[in-house]
Structures are given as structure tokens and as C-alpha cells.
Amino acid sequence: MTRWMWAMMTVALGTAGCQQEQKSALPSRAELKTLSGSTVEIIPKEGQYPYCLLYTVSEKGVIRQLTMTRENRSIRCEPGKRIYNSSFRVPVEEGKVRIYVFFSDQRVQAGSLAQQLYDLRDKPRVTAMDFRMPGSVAVEMLEFTPQAGGDAVPNAVVGTTELNDVPEGAEPEADEPGMQLAAPDAGIQP
């Protein structure tokens, strides 16, 4: 090989290494906090858009919308506070899940987003560009593997939230067939 070829190969390998470092340096938009073997909370970090939707996609292909409201639209998500003011129990029998948090600058309809996520369920990684959503959108994907057993989660919120979307004392309802409401303390019902 000539010196020129060695130089080009060195630059190419150096560039590949830099790209790998940049991917791992991306800041996360939300934190996954494990409370027990199968119960988690999702907490948005500072600097995110004010509205969000939360979905899980399990290894077995089950897709669940966890932030269900009467209007079936995104909810207000405040940095440092758990989403939907709730913890979520993931069924152990469904295996590892990918948790998608969609942050947006405006309230968006959840039904069309759920259908798009269903269409992309086999794609290992999705970005905001994969979805047809109005306004500015950012997506965070977190992975979680539920474990059997574990202690019951104390102080888990059951059906009440501090959100404007749900009247005080009322529980959100599932408006679309096939969508599952995540009952924070009782677990997600299949």
C-alpha cells in the first residue's frame, strides 16, 4: 500500500470512531426509575417540550398507550415529575419492553400515533422523523425488562392525577378499541 492509501484508511477509521462516540453522547430526554421488579416511573428531564405521550411495545408485539385521557390527546409533562403522576406496572409475561416517550410542543392526537407506532413495531429504533405529527416532536426510547416478584409499590397513584385533562376523582377512559389503560397500581390489564 502507498502512503496515500494508509492515510485515507486512517482517516476513515478515525471518522467511524468519532461517529460512534457521538451516538452514545446524546443526552437522554427522560429517566426510567424502577420501583420494583415490574413497576416503573418515567420522569422527563429539563428542556423537553411541554406535552407528552407514553407507549410500550413488548417483545410479544403488544402495544400499550399508558397516558390515556378522555380526549385521547397528549398530556402536560413537567420536568422532574413523574409522567401522568403515576407509576406503571409492566406484565412480566410479555417480556422486555421498549418504552416510547413522545414530547411535543402542542397537544397531539394519540390514536394516529398509536397506529404509526404499530406500523413501525418491528423497526429496532424509531426517531421523530418516522412519524407524521404536527409541530415539533422529540422521541425518547427506554428499555425495561420486568422481573417476577418484588415488593408492592407503596403510595402508587390509583386513578387520580393532577392533570387538567381528567376531572378530580374521575378515571380516564379508553376511547378507542384495542387501547389499554395503564392502571398505575393495579397493573396493565391484557
Side-chain angles (χ1 to χ4, degrees):
M1 272 190 183
T2 65
R3 280 187 246 167
W4 183 81
M5 297 274 294
W6 279 108
M8 290 302 291
M9 188 171 69
T10 304
V11 169
L13 290 174
T15 304
C18 290
Q19 288 175 350
Q20 199 66 339
E21 289 176 23
Q22 288 174 354
K23 287 181 183 178
S24 63
L26 291 175
S28 64
R29 298 178 184 283
E31 174 188 352
L32 176 74
K33 183 177 177 184
T34 304
L35 301 178
S36 73
S38 63
T39 306
V40 297
E41 292 178 345
I42 312 299
I43 302 168
K45 293 191 175 179
E46 290 289 330
Q48 302 312 310
Y49 294 121
Y51 300 100
C52 71
L53 286 165
L54 187 62
Y55 292 88
T56 60
V57 179
S58 73
E59 278 182 325
K60 296 195 177 200
V62 177
I63 297 174
R64 298 185 191 280
Q65 178 182 342
L66 303 182
T67 51
M68 184 70 75
T69 65
R70 290 181 190 272
E71 299 171 344
N72 202 24
R73 293 175 57 177
S74 54
I75 61 170
R76 183 165 281 288
C77 293
E78 299 198 25
K81 294 185 179 181
R82 59 190 183 163
I83 292 178
Y84 210 55
N85 195 27
S86 299
S87 53
F88 303 98
R89 186 169 297 150
V90 178
V92 176
E93 60 274 2
E94 291 180 10
K96 184 177 180 179
V97 295
R98 290 176 291 180
I99 301 170
Y100 291 99
V101 186
F102 294 88
F103 292 101
S104 61
D105 64 343
Q106 57 187 285
R107 295 191 67 202
V108 296
Q109 288 294 329
S112 65
L113 182 60
Q115 181 60 48
Q116 293 174 58
L117 190 56
Y118 177 79
D119 294 340
L120 296 167
R121 69 190 175 280
D122 295 328
K123 190 173 180 181
R125 196 118 180 108
V126 297
T127 67
M129 295 298 291
D130 294 318
F131 296 90
R132 297 173 304 279
M133 296 175 68
S136 297
V137 177
V139 179
E140 176 73 16
M141 186 198 74
L142 306 166
E143 292 185 344
F144 176 69
T145 304
Q147 305 293 320
D151 296 331
V153 177
N155 301 322
V157 177
V158 182
T160 60
T161 65
E162 296 175 6
L163 305 172
N164 294 332
D165 298 331
V166 181
E168 189 173 305
E171 291 190 36
E173 297 175 357
D175 294 333
E176 295 185 19
M179 299 304 244
Q180 299 291 325
L181 172 65
D185 193 40
I188 301 171
Q189 302 300 318

